[in-house]
Amino acid sequence: MTTSTVAGPDLAAVSALVGFGLQPRMRPLDNPRYRDLLQRCRSERPFRSAVEALAEGLELDLIEVHAVEGLILHPRHGSIFTYRLADHPTLTSKERLILGLVHVAIAARAYPYPEDLEEDGATRIAIDDVDAFLRHLIGKLQEATRDSDGLALPHAGLDTAWRFYAKLTPGRPTASGSRLTRSSSQWWIAEALRWLVEQGMATPARAHGPGHYLLAHRFRLQVREAASIPAFTLLNDLRRTQLFEED
């Protein structure tokens, strides 16, 4: 069935639903119109086809129509909705490498096994855990650079990024003692998690104490879309090895 069966007011409804999906912090349970449109997308094939067609035109992949998370869209490479660290106006090239490494490490730390990416629900993670994982990674990479074999890295950017990260202190509070500074590794992890919160992919888990976050199912789906990238594969392998050694 084609999208031509959807016309008039329904086209406005389709556009409205995609608009809701482009606001990742909005949840259907908090918005009756969003909830109703989402239900139509789940139950009416012509309406769903029209939503997919509009997303296609905007270079977006419709990943899932989730009752709690809402319409989950993934921008394709080159889409106007694609966020790139290179587009961040306040980051130096060095800082973009560090932040990129941290984002991949969060994903690898949270989802070490393929089946982790198939589950539904939130995953808890802590800034300390991500930092410890990255320090472990750096130790392994430093060992590899001293070996004649070496450890094959997927690209030069990752090699540069971990060397930058290794020079950061784990945590350095400001003069007032209340906040971390940009020269600390945990500041960059917190920055990455803050961005995930802004994108509706994480929420602070205050009940577990400062520095704890819940990664939403929406984040898991985005990671699943990018799980084949070499950097994630390498960090994922190292995370699984770390878990095996800890048993």
Side-chain angles (χ1 to χ4, degrees):
M1 189 174 294
T2 67
T3 57
S4 62
T5 56
V6 177
D10 275 352
L11 290 178
V14 167
S15 300
L17 180 56
V18 173
F20 284 133
L22 290 170
Q23 302 175 69
R25 295 183 68 178
M26 183 174 289
R27 294 293 183 266
L29 297 180
D30 300 325
N31 187 306
R33 177 160 168 74
Y34 189 5
R35 185 175 62 247
D36 292 344
L37 291 174
L38 198 73
Q39 180 57 35
R40 287 192 64 186
C41 192
R42 290 164 64 89
S43 61
E44 300 177 20
R45 184 64 242 181
F47 191 81
R48 167 83 176 237
S49 296
V51 171
E52 291 172 343
L54 180 56
E56 174 78 21
L58 294 172
E59 296 184 282
L60 298 166
D61 289 321
L62 175 54
I63 302 177
E64 189 168 326
V65 183
H66 196 275
V68 176
E69 296 280 346
L71 194 72
I72 302 178
L73 302 165
H74 181 78
R76 298 173 187 166
H77 180 70
S79 166
I80 61 172
F81 299 105
T82 302
Y83 173 84
R84 299 181 305 158
L85 293 175
D87 298 329
H88 199 298
T90 64
L91 295 178
T92 66
S93 58
K94 170 184 173 180
E95 290 171 339
R96 287 196 291 269
L97 284 171
I98 292 172
L99 199 54
L101 174 64
V102 168
H103 275 291
V104 178
I106 290 171
R109 178 65 174 72
Y111 314 119
Y113 299 103
E115 53 267 30
D116 295 330
L117 293 173
E118 302 303 323
E119 295 179 358
D120 196 345
T123 301
R124 183 160 59 91
I125 200 163
I127 291 174
D128 287 345
D129 293 337
V130 178
D131 193 38
F133 171 52
L134 277 165
R135 299 287 169 187
H136 175 80
L137 163 72
I138 288 167
K140 292 295 184 182
L141 293 174
Q142 287 173 333
E143 290 174 10
T145 58
R146 292 192 291 268
D147 293 340
S148 56
D149 303 332
L151 180 62
L153 292 176
H155 51 72
L158 181 57
D159 183 57
T160 305
W162 76 258
R163 294 179 191 277
F164 284 150
Y165 192 92
K167 296 177 181 178
L168 299 172
T169 59
R172 178 181 295 167
T174 58
S176 65
S178 59
R179 297 180 62 188
L180 298 168
T181 67
R182 290 171 77 99
S183 62
S184 70
S185 57
Q186 293 197 16
W187 187 92
W188 288 100
I189 298 169
E191 182 69 9
L193 287 164
R194 279 194 292 269
W195 183 81
L196 291 177
V197 170
E198 291 175 2
Q199 299 302 308
M201 290 189 276
T203 55
R206 296 185 177 88
H208 296 280
H212 288 257
Y213 291 80
L214 289 176
L215 299 174
H217 180 57
R218 178 182 294 268
F219 179 63
R220 177 185 284 105
L221 293 175
Q222 299 290 350
V223 172
R224 193 168 71 190
E225 290 295 303
S228 62
I229 65 171
F232 178 74
T233 301
L234 173 64
L235 268 67
N236 217 240
D237 289 344
L238 286 169
R239 175 59 181 156
R240 287 196 295 269
T241 301
Q242 182 187 30
L243 289 171
F244 177 78
E245 293 171 348
E246 290 174 353
D247 285 343

